[in-house]
Amino acid sequence: MHPTTKPRLELCGAVLLAELITDVKTEFERLDINIHEFDIFLWSDSIVVISWINSKQPLKSYVSKRVAQILDNSDSEQWYHVPTDCNPADLISRGVTVSNLQQ
């Protein structure tokens, strides 16, 4: 077994996000709320993941399969980069005090 790298973990997170947004869209449709896919913006703080999603080059099997999953559930033009220091999702993984969270 190969050790998992941070970009691969970030890629798995992007797969989860793409699947989640598909489930959310389905639930909205059940409520007669239609959202156009280009009104949905998907963010990652991994430049590597964004480049894999937008790549026209052949990718290694592990990456290729996950990018295919992402593109089955989203469009590459929906994906954007957010700098790590501006990513609110990273607060939880880094740990933050309640007083800092309020800010």
Side-chain angles (χ1 to χ4, degrees), residues 95-102:
V96 64
T97 64
V98 174
S99 58
N100 287 342
L101 185 59
Q102 290 174 337

Side-chain angles (χ1 to χ4, degrees), residues 23-95:
D23 291 344
V24 170
K25 282 175 24 182
T26 300
E27 289 303 315
F28 276 146
E29 288 169 2
R30 293 174 79 190
L31 298 170
D32 290 327
I33 301 171
N34 293 314
I35 300 174
H36 191 274
E37 69 182 49
F38 291 106
D39 290 329
I40 299 170
F41 300 87
L42 306 171
W43 299 88
S44 175
D45 63 359
S46 174
I47 294 172
V48 174
V49 168
I50 299 296
S51 67
W52 282 337
I53 292 170
N54 290 304
S55 179
K56 304 298 182 212
Q57 303 293 326
L59 301 167
K60 292 188 177 184
S61 179
Y62 181 94
V63 174
S64 179
K65 288 178 183 178
R66 281 148 188 85
V67 169
Q69 286 178 279
I70 291 168
L71 295 178
D72 284 346
N73 292 297
S74 65
D75 190 281
S76 64
E77 294 178 15
Q78 292 177 275
W79 286 89
Y80 295 89
H81 177 256
V82 58
T84 299
D85 58 339
C86 297
N87 185 356
D90 278 355
L91 292 175
I92 295 170
S93 62
R94 290 201 180 105

